Amino acid sequence: MCGIVGYLGEKKATPILIEGLSKLEYRGYDSSGIAVVENGEVKIEKCRGRLSNLKDKVLDKDFTSSIGIGHTRWATHGEPSDVNSHPHSNQDGTIAVVHNGIIENYIVLREWLISEGYKFVSETDTEVIPHLVDYYFDGNLEDAVIKATKRMEGSYALGVISKNDPDKIVAVRKDSPLVIGVGENESFIASDIPAVLNSTRDVYLLEDKEFVVMTKSGITIYDENKNKVDKQIFHVTWDIDAAEKGGYEHFMLKEIYEQPKAIKDTLTSRIVKGEKIKIDGIHLTKEQIENFDRIYIIACGTAYHSGVVGKYVIERLAKIPVEIDVASEFRYRNPLITEKTLMICISQSGETADTLAALRLAKEKGARIIAITNVVGSSISREADDVFYTWAGPEIAVASTKAYITMLIALYIIALYMAEVKNTVRATEIEKIKDGLLNLSEKTAEILNDIEPIKAFVDEIYKHKDVYYLGRGLDYAVAMEGSLKLKEISYIHSEAYAGGELKHGTIALIEEGTSVIALATQSDLYDKMVSNIREVKTRGAKVLGIAMEGQTEIEKTVDATIYIPKVMSILAPVLSVIPLQILAYYTAVKKGCDVDKPRNLAKSVTVE
Ligand code: M6R
């Protein structure tokens, strides 16, 4: 998984490429590079490490070229190193390529190219591409790229330049994201919109196997048979500030504080007091909804955790059995899918490879697909039958926060919508939950306005090597998310357990001083949870309880308590996750971790 950019216009390309790459570092940041056509030659600068290393390197060169491509890498084939960094080139250095994705048949292609006399210098799958383009090059770059891609299997978003067809960038995508920025006398390619927003708000969203030829006279888009394709410009309405840090120390903190607004935006026009629920992107009839006999919720990571909440909520309200699975497991377990199956795919980025593959599998077998995603025009949104956009705005920090909360909101809305259509819950109860949803933004802000009691616990957590999260029912689902937040950004080992499951093994790990965070917001499970807390307390654990205002009984059992504002139990996950996000964030800051870009992780996992 990587980020690619390209620029062709009248300005110097290098600073624009570097600026674009800086907006894509969330996609990978173990190495980076650029290639420009300078004085008739392809010049490549690339190196291992953060973009700042590349910046230092290219500033010295002072390239004047106004055409170039760039890349920020997250290694898949070959370790992060200078030689494995992109751009890659053919043997005589006349062609340069940046690539995001994986060429699955690269070994076969590599062997064939070697037999044709080509020499390889890197361990990457990508290096076959410039050689293939070279093999087919006959004076016209797009023709060579079209021919080369016909030999390639796997996923790719490519930017290609050549000194022998010099005033041109050729780009193409298949199963990896790519947008084309349309400026005045300039054009751009990028893996994601923030990379071009400094220069333009008009973009083309490419479909698979659409080829783009950018020259000084404009942009032409072709299909794989070189027929011209007419495309509508997509005008980006969100503000560039939304993609910047806006005064916060980290994107993660900024995004945590954006949650009240994100909740409001996601509810907007869908939940209106006293009116039936309307979901713009979902076009299911009453008959279709009544016909579903099973729902699969499929996702990865944090999106999966939102799905665990979704399972409880949909079963409780819409009364349809729901199975939840991580996408990478689902796709290989021969799931039972019929035309009566509804699949809900949840993905912030809409590009997660495993989720996309699971979606395709289910679609092939006849399931109806609803996507819940934050990214308009993403692959998952385009391939699903119905789409629920979460409207959280761009999420830059690798650790997901506002996207998680808005996924929860989406799932509540979908569950309520089905319950309303199927008449499975009394109208008064539905209205009560709608009211509760409409108040969540304010209650979220209330928590965020007073985070000192939460921060007070950071000094304790920070000392530990292991932290255990406990909960029952919906609290268990939130415990999983809290635990993931802590481990991914602070590198403290943590696990989440269902309170009742503890005594079947894990309790053996509890000893004097073990750190436990126990959620007890669910009124029907409150007493049982308190007794689980007692079990760990008597074995020496130090416990932080998370409970709802008024549920003070817990204080007798725990060492400290954080209270969330009072809401219906079913809605508690939206509030109870916030103290866990704050705790994880400040613990990571105290440990000096790279909060927005945790080691070994990338924002969007577009490879299997
Ligand atoms: O873009 P997606 O929602 O499909 O991403 C899924 C996971 O990779 C993602 O939620 C990941 O677990 C986050 N880093 C968690 O904070």
Side-chain angles (χ1 to χ4, degrees):
M1 167 181 17
C2 309
I4 71 170
V5 293
Y7 173 78
L8 189 147
E10 292 168 346
K11 301 177 190 136
K12 280 189 185 177
T14 306
I16 296 172
L17 295 173
I18 299 283
E19 160 71 20
L21 289 177
S22 72
K23 297 288 187 291
L24 295 181
E25 267 198 294
Y26 73 90
R27 301 182 62 83
Y29 37 82
D30 62 43
S31 48
S32 53
I34 59 157
V36 292
V37 184
E38 180 85 1
N39 301 325
E41 294 298 325
V42 171
K43 299 276 182 204
I44 295 179
E45 290 297 333
K46 56 184 190 175
C47 55
R48 188 192 165 154
R50 285 291 169 87
L51 187 59
S52 50
N53 299 1
L54 178 71
K55 224 174 181 172
D56 295 342
K57 237 181 145 185
V58 296
L59 283 183
D60 286 352
K61 308 279 176 208
D62 196 25
F63 291 131
T64 56
S65 169
S66 56
I67 166 168
I69 51 179
H71 190 271
T72 177
R73 180 168 188 249
W74 185 75
T76 56
H77 292 62
E79 57 168 16
S81 68
D82 289 358
V83 72
N84 286 336
S85 311
H86 299 218
H88 287 281
S89 67
N90 59 333
Q91 223 153 294
D92 55 10
T94 54
I95 295 165
V97 172
V98 287
H99 168 220
N100 168 35
I102 289 183
I103 305 304
E104 285 169 4
N105 60 338
Y106 82 101
I107 294 177
V108 178
L109 289 173
R110 194 176 161 117
E111 280 166 5
W112 171 72
L113 284 160
I114 289 171
S115 74
E116 290 289 325
Y118 286 89
K119 290 200 172 58
F120 283 75
V121 294
S122 80
E123 303 156 275
T124 64
D125 54 330
T126 301
E127 202 186 346
V128 297
I129 304 172
H131 291 314
L132 268 181
V133 175
D134 177 280
Y135 180 84
Y136 288 112
F137 189 82
D138 194 12
N140 179 290
L141 189 57
E142 62 269 30
D143 288 350
V145 174
I146 291 174
K147 283 182 188 148
T149 53
K150 289 203 196 302
R151 303 285 306 267
M152 288 155 45
E153 287 164 22
S155 58
Y156 46 83
L158 302 179
V160 188
I161 54 172
S162 167
K163 76 168 231 183
N164 294 326
D165 194 1
D167 301 316
K168 195 182 268 181
I169 296 179
V170 176
V172 58
R173 64 155 278 184
K174 182 186 162 270
D175 296 334
S176 289
L178 190 64
V179 299
I180 307 300
V182 186
E184 245 180 68
N185 301 324
E186 56 186 5
S187 25
F188 307 81
I189 64 170
S191 295
D192 197 0
I193 290 171
V196 302
L197 270 192
N198 262 345
S199 308
T200 181
R201 294 183 161 275
D202 289 337
V203 297
Y204 289 120
L205 304 171
L206 288 192
E207 298 295 333
D208 273 359
K209 296 215 174 153
E210 284 181 340
F211 291 79
V212 178
V213 179
M214 287 168 29
T215 63
K216 287 236 158 92
S217 44
I219 298 169
T220 317
I221 302 174
Y222 299 100
D223 68 13
E224 58 186 314
N225 299 316
K226 224 182 165 189
N227 300 310
K228 275 195 190 168
V229 176
D230 269 341
K231 278 193 100 67
Q232 292 287 318
I233 285 201
F234 177 79
H235 186 72
V236 182
T237 49
W238 38 270
D239 206 277
I240 189 153
D241 287 352
E244 303 288 347
K245 260 191 243 163
Y248 289 93
E249 199 186 337
H250 296 100
F251 279 113
M252 182 177 174
L253 189 61
K254 173 177 170 275
E255 286 157 8
I256 288 173
Y257 274 87
E258 282 170 351
Q259 292 182 116
K261 180 172 184 303
I263 291 172
K264 219 183 251 171
D265 289 347
T266 306
L267 288 167
T268 297
S269 79
R270 290 155 175 168
I271 301 276
V272 179
K273 238 181 160 157
E275 285 182 20
K276 292 260 182 223
I277 297 164
K278 289 188 282 297
I279 313 181
D280 34 316
I282 298 186
H283 312 282
L284 290 169
T285 61
K286 182 173 191 301
E287 205 188 350
Q288 282 169 321
I289 293 176
E290 280 170 346
N291 194 38
F292 293 133
D293 63 359
R294 177 208 306 256
I295 297 178
Y296 285 114
I297 298 182
I298 301 301
C300 304
T302 285
Y304 168 79
H305 295 152
S306 77
V308 182
V309 173
K311 171 185 162 65
Y312 282 96
V313 172
I314 293 173
E315 286 186 341
R316 207 178 290 179
L317 299 176
K319 317 277 189 233
I320 306 173
V322 180
E323 258 192 66
I324 162 99
D325 208 346
V326 286
S328 54
E329 286 299 310
F330 178 84
R331 56 186 290 202
Y332 294 114
R333 73 167 161 92
N334 295 320
L336 300 174
I337 297 167
T338 69
E339 268 143 35
K340 290 182 161 206
T341 305
L342 171 67
M343 182 197 249
I344 303 179
C345 289
I346 313 174
S347 173
Q348 187 284 131
S349 61
E351 300 293 347
T352 299
D354 285 320
T355 311
L356 186 57
L359 178 159
R360 286 177 178 160
L361 173 81
K363 204 170 170 184
E364 211 180 276
K365 294 193 171 182
R368 176 90 180 197
I369 318 283
I370 297 181
I372 297 178
T373 181
N374 192 30
V375 180
V376 177
S378 57
S379 303
I380 287 175
S381 76
R382 280 190 279 175
E383 295 196 26
D385 300 300
D386 304 279
V387 186
F388 188 116
Y389 286 117
T390 49
W391 297 334
E395 191 178 66
I396 308 294
V398 167
S400 184
T401 52
K402 64 175 179 172
Y404 171 77
I405 284 229
T406 56
M407 286 165 186
L408 295 184
I409 301 291
L411 287 158
Y412 287 117
I413 297 176
I414 291 171
L416 277 177
Y417 172 69
M418 289 181 172
E420 207 166 64
V421 173
K422 287 183 71 193
N423 214 2
T424 43
V425 178
R426 278 201 308 271
T428 47
E429 181 69 4
I430 291 189
E431 276 314 304
K432 205 171 145 202
I433 302 175
K434 282 189 198 167
D435 266 357
L437 280 170
L438 292 168
N439 288 328
L440 280 177
S441 165
E442 213 173 290
K443 293 187 189 239
T444 308
E446 231 176 89
I447 303 176
L448 292 170
N449 286 340
D450 184 19
I451 62 165
E452 288 314 312
I454 308 171
K455 281 170 80 176
F457 211 72
V458 167
D459 286 345
E460 172 59 31
I461 298 282
Y462 148 89
K463 297 188 298 221
H464 289 268
K465 275 176 76 183
D466 312 284
V467 176
Y468 297 92
Y469 288 71
L470 303 182
R472 299 182 80 120
L474 285 167
D475 282 338
Y476 173 44
V478 176
M480 289 182 196
E481 175 57 9
S483 164
L484 177 63
K485 283 292 88 86
L486 186 72
K487 75 179 95 168
E488 71 179 326
I489 60 169
S490 76
Y491 316 141
I492 293 174
H493 166 250
S494 75
E495 298 297 339
Y497 289 99
E501 182 64 11
L502 208 63
K503 55 186 173 295
H504 299 288
T506 309
I507 203 159
L509 294 171
I510 307 292
E511 55 186 10
E512 200 55 44
T514 302
S515 185
V516 171
I517 297 175
L519 290 99
T521 70
Q522 299 297 299
S523 49
D524 54 337
L525 293 166
Y526 185 70
D527 293 341
K528 291 198 185 303
M529 191 59 213
V530 169
S531 99
N532 292 142
I533 296 172
R534 220 167 272 136
E535 285 164 10
V536 293
K537 203 54 210 150
T538 51
R539 283 155 180 93
K542 201 145 189 212
V543 183
L544 168 66
I546 313 268
M548 216 178 279
E549 265 167 18
Q551 295 173 326
T552 50
E553 186 62 21
I554 194 174
E555 284 180 25
K556 294 185 191 145
T557 326
V558 299
D559 296 277
T561 316
I562 291 167
Y563 289 104
I564 58 165
K566 213 165 169 31
V567 279
M568 298 170 77
S569 290
I570 196 171
L571 299 178
V574 178
L575 301 185
S576 57
V577 75
I578 295 171
L580 305 185
Q581 295 171 339
I582 301 274
L583 213 50
Y585 172 77
Y586 282 103
T587 306
V589 170
K590 194 169 168 77
K591 288 191 73 185
C593 300
D594 192 346
V595 176
D596 284 336
K597 292 174 182 148
R599 69 185 179 207
N600 306 336
L601 295 179
K603 181 66 183 163
S604 174
V605 186
T606 53
V607 293
E608 189 178 352

